[in-house]
Amino acid sequence: MTLEGKSVAVLIAPRGTEEPEFSKPKQAIEEAGGKVTVVSFEAGVARTVNSDLDEGGSYTIDKTFSEVKADDFDGLVVPGGTVGADKLRGSGEAIGFIRAFFDQKKPVAAICHAPWTLIEAGVLKGRTLTSYPTLKVDIENAGGTWANEEVVVDNGLVTSRDPDDLPAFCAKLVEEIAAGN
């Protein structure tokens, strides 16, 4: 599967995004030939975390939310991490950016706690997805159906539960972005 000529936004929340949920999808997109743009709140460098508490790697932020729009990309990846997802869902700019991908029917991949941002964006009604298990009731209250599966695809939305699901998650997000909508 190739992503040659495709551009994908990957979000990062400094000191909150889970390291493997950020780095593995980014790597999968790049290995498939896609161009990744790391998007966050402010310019500079962002550190990820491991297991929400331990320091992870440092990554350069390519663009801020104020510098991008969904029109610029073929797909979006929203990594998890409890703190990172919470920071993202608390930002009107981030939520508007995420919602625009759904409005344009572009592929979106969200793992672990990242579906909190989708709840905030109001895009889950009638959709089936998975997440970290503690989000089940939140998803159901937002009108979605929660499934305890390694990876769930619903109309271009790719979701997984946690870092153990990353191989299946990465394969499906590359497939969905390659197919477009």
Side-chain angles (χ1 to χ4, degrees):
M1 195 72 45
T2 181
L3 293 180
E4 209 61 49
K6 301 275 187 177
S7 182
V8 182
V10 179
L11 304 188
I12 192 168
R15 294 175 314 283
T17 294
E18 191 69 23
E19 167 77 27
E21 295 173 7
F22 171 83
S23 63
K24 296 294 185 188
K26 180 179 183 294
Q27 178 183 359
I29 294 161
E30 291 169 341
E31 286 177 356
K35 177 187 183 297
V36 170
T37 301
V38 177
V39 180
S40 192
F41 306 107
E42 53 191 47
V45 173
R47 285 199 82 80
T48 58
V49 295
N50 286 295
S51 301
D52 283 327
L53 300 172
D54 300 324
E55 202 167 277
S58 294
Y59 296 90
T60 300
I61 297 164
D62 299 313
K63 300 274 185 176
T64 63
F65 288 111
S66 62
E67 298 173 312
V68 294
K69 54 190 183 306
D71 298 347
D72 302 334
F73 302 98
D74 299 294
L76 172 67
V77 176
V78 187
T82 310
V83 174
D86 195 54
K87 286 180 178 183
L88 289 169
R89 76 177 174 162
S91 163
E93 276 187 319
I95 295 306
F97 184 64
I98 292 166
R99 186 181 301 115
F101 281 84
F102 286 89
D103 292 345
Q104 295 176 23
K105 299 183 180 2
K106 291 184 176 181
V108 174
I111 186 168
C112 197
H113 285 79
W116 268 343
T117 66
L118 310 181
I119 293 166
E120 196 70 31
V123 297
L124 294 186
K125 190 170 180 68
R127 288 189 177 266
T128 299
L129 64 153
T130 193
S131 67
Y132 195 76
T134 58
L135 276 65
K136 178 181 188 276
V137 172
D138 295 342
I139 288 167
E140 291 171 346
N141 287 340
T145 300
W146 189 83
N148 186 17
E149 296 175 26
E150 177 178 60
V151 64
V152 175
V153 179
D154 182 329
N155 247 353
L157 173 60
V158 179
T159 54
S160 284
R161 300 169 298 194
D162 57 45
D164 292 340
D165 298 336
L166 278 164
F169 179 71
C170 291
K172 278 296 183 188
L173 76 86
V174 167
E175 184 180 309
E176 288 297 307
I177 293 168
N181 267 355

